[in-house]
């Protein structure tokens, strides 16, 4: 029974050993999820087949890295594990609230402070995932080398193998690659959430932002800000507040489409070729 699985997960990571009730939580497209209510606390659990355990391991590491270096709240990680054929990640449950008038200002300034935590290489000391796709994080000294080798080329190979793109698209990217070094201003690598869109943050009961489902790595901070523009959902106050703390180089708006080539390729590989039109438009513009 599923209740036995929940009780074993609780027992493995908390002093709670008796589930009182549970209910499923929607919104994810990869894992199943539920809230677990015990006598003392509510918890959040997501689970999948045991072969997916590495997704939970890297998510746990990413949340802990953000917690160490950001003033933005992230869910407290109780632990991950495997019970028979199920892998899981157990987190604190965060009650939802509503954004206050200052929410976007707080969020923008706090993200800017996170991005001020920098490193001497682009990448990370382990690979992780964006959605369910593998994300390689080998170290590079320059953004353009990292972006080409660790971000664009793996997604292009995958899309080509799935017959979602053809060699003409590959040729356009190959024309773009030599230009990238001079299109994006040089900056030190910043710590990024890595998958920051409107579905990957919450508003807690204190009207403060909460980051969830990260794909952390050190990269050019413009890639984070560009991704927030891709599907909308972020108030203009967010960007103004960010710029007050950590101003972007002039011309960022003109560079957004370059950075968003990566998340669009990810969406091609996850959801199909309908996302190709935006990619082709950007390639025509810059090649």
């Amino acid at each position: 029974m599923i209740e036995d699985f929940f009780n074993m997960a609780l027992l493995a990571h908390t002093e709670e050993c008796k589930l009182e009730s549970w209910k499923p939580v929607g919104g994810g497209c990869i894992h199943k999820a539920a809230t677990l209510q015990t006598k003392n606390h509510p918890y959040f659990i997501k689970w999948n087949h045991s072969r997916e355990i590495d997704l939970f391991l890297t998510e746990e590491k990413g949340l802990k890295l953000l917690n160490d270096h950001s003033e933005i709240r992230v869910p407290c990680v109780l632990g991950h594990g495997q019970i028979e054929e199920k892998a899981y990640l157990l987190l604190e449950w965060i009650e939802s609230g509503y954004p206050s008038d200052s929410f976007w200002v707080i969020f923008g300034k706090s993200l800017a402070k996170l991005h001020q935590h920098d490193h001497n290489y682009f990448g990370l000391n382990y690979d992780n995932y964006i959605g369910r796709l593998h994300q390689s994080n080998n170290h590079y000294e320059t953004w353009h080398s990292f972006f080409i080798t660790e971000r664009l080329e793996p997604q292009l190979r995958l899309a080509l193998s799935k017959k979602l793109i053809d060699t003409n698209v590959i040729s356009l990217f190959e024309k773009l690659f030599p230009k990238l070094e001079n299109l994006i201003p040089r900056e030190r690598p910043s710590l990024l959430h890595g998958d920051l869109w409107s579905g990957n943050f919450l508003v807690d009961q204190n009207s403060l932002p909460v980051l969830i489902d990260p794909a952390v790595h050190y990269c050019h901070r413009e890639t984070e800000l560009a991704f927030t523009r891709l599907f909308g959902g972020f108030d203009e106050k967010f960007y103004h507040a960010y710029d007050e703390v950590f101003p972007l180089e002039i011309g960022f708006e003109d560079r957004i489409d370059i950075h968003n080539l990566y998340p669009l390729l990810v969406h091609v590989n996850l959801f199909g070729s309908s996302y190709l039109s935006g990619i082709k438009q950007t390639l025509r513009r810059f090649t």
Side-chain angles (χ1 to χ4, degrees), residues 159-171:
L160 189 63
S161 71
K162 296 169 72 171
K163 296 184 167 56
L164 294 168
I165 61 172
D166 56 27
T167 55
N168 291 327
V169 173
I170 300 292
S171 296

Side-chain angles (χ1 to χ4, degrees), residues 37-89:
Q37 184 63 55
T38 67
K39 180 180 179 180
N40 298 311
H41 300 287
Y43 298 92
F44 175 76
I45 190 170
K46 56 172 73 175
W47 73 95
N48 210 319
H49 193 278
S50 58
R51 62 176 171 268
E52 307 286 4
I53 193 168
D54 195 49
L55 274 74
F56 296 132
L57 169 62
T58 56
E59 181 174 349
E60 176 178 334
K61 292 167 73 173
L63 288 169
K64 289 180 176 179
L65 183 60
L66 289 175
N67 185 60
D68 288 343
H69 298 292
S70 174
E71 63 183 38
I72 307 175
R73 184 181 179 184
V74 299
C76 177
V77 178
L78 281 302
H80 79 284
Q82 180 178 330
I83 299 172
E84 296 180 348
E85 294 187 352
K86 293 184 180 70
Y88 65 88
L89 179 66

